[in-house]
Amino acid sequence: GGRAPGLSAARFDRGHVPWAEACEKAGVGGLRAALSAFARLCLWHLLQPTVYLIALAVYWPQLGGWSHTLGALVGVREVLYVVACFMGLWTHPAYLLVDVRATLRGNGDDSLSDAIMYVLAPEKFVTMAALTGLLVDKASGEATAAIVYSLILVAIVHPLILAMTMLDVCGIAALVVAIVPAAPFPPALLVGYSLTALSAVAFILLLVDGGTLKLSAKAGRALRQELV
């Protein structure tokens, strides 16, 4: 057989991705799939929040004022990320087999947006995957499931993602508070704040520029058709 196409992050936009389907698209199965998922869980998703939370606990006595408040808020964001990771293990383990290259090769207008979100704002992708994993695939054609899916998005997923974005903004504020004083700041916390700030900027830009990306993609296809 040919090379496996890989599991695109865009596939999760349609709801639940069965583990068997994820393994088939990723071209792995059995023990290899489990090991690959475990490695991504530990090294891609859990590493950064774990290091940040440990660093926050270690350096907490040295912090003060706004650093305590903002650092704690960023810590809440990291805890939510960890909870989403473990929740996803139960509701939607397929999220651990996503392939960035397969996402970029997608035919949809949102391929680039999906890839950027998965790489720069993985906590939001995992949160959405974990929550939507509770629902059946919209492609099944079951009207009730589609209605429930929409209600879950509006009532739970979107508000939670908005809350996480606001916590990301706290990371930007924490970074400013950390670098403005002349006194040196713990490097581990600076890295955590920087990653949180990057996630906030990337996600906000995706929200603002989503329409522009779609229009650009459509214009590019129209131009290619004209040239043909």
Side-chain angles (χ1 to χ4, degrees):
R3 182 179 179 181
L7 178 61
S8 171
R11 170 62 182 83
F12 291 78
D13 294 339
R14 302 202 304 273
H16 184 260
V17 181
W19 178 251
E21 177 187 337
C23 291
E24 180 181 357
K25 289 184 178 295
V28 295
L31 180 60
R32 185 180 173 189
L35 290 175
S36 178
F38 179 75
R40 294 188 187 191
L41 175 66
C42 295
L43 300 178
W44 176 253
H45 293 291
L46 294 181
L47 180 61
Q48 186 267 326
T50 301
V51 171
Y52 174 80
L53 291 172
I54 292 175
L56 183 64
V58 170
Y59 292 108
W60 185 262
Q62 301 179 26
L63 304 179
W66 282 105
S67 292
H68 269 153
T69 302
L70 295 172
L73 290 173
V74 174
V76 171
R77 180 255 198 194
E78 302 297 359
V79 170
L80 289 175
Y81 184 14
V82 172
V83 170
C85 286
F86 285 107
M87 179 181 176
L89 285 178
W90 171 55
T91 64
H92 216 166
Y95 83 87
L96 292 169
L97 295 181
V98 167
D99 187 329
V100 177
R101 288 176 296 181
T103 303
L104 288 171
R105 289 196 301 266
N107 296 322
D109 297 334
D110 294 329
S111 298
L112 179 59
S113 298
D114 289 330
I116 292 175
M117 184 175 187
Y118 179 75
V119 173
L120 297 182
E123 73 286 346
K124 297 174 183 61
F125 172 82
V126 173
T127 299
M128 289 190 286
L131 291 173
T132 56
L134 294 169
L135 307 164
V136 299
D137 195 330
K138 287 198 301 182
S140 64
E142 297 181 13
T144 302
I147 292 173
V148 174
Y149 182 91
S150 299
L151 289 175
I152 291 293
L153 282 180
V154 173
I156 300 178
V157 179
H158 291 169
L160 184 56
I161 295 301
L162 177 61
M164 294 182 75
T165 303
M166 296 305 297
L167 292 174
D168 287 347
V169 174
C170 291
I172 298 177
L175 183 62
V176 173
V177 170
I179 63 178
V180 168
F185 201 81
L189 292 179
L190 283 177
V191 172
Y193 294 154
S194 299
L195 292 175
T196 302
L198 181 62
S199 175
V201 172
F203 189 69
I204 292 172
L205 288 178
L206 286 178
L207 290 178
V208 172
D209 201 44
T212 303
L213 287 172
K214 290 181 180 180
L215 290 175
S216 298
K218 291 178 180 178
R221 288 198 301 270
L223 179 60
R224 286 194 295 271
Q225 290 174 356
E226 290 291 334
L227 293 176
V228 172

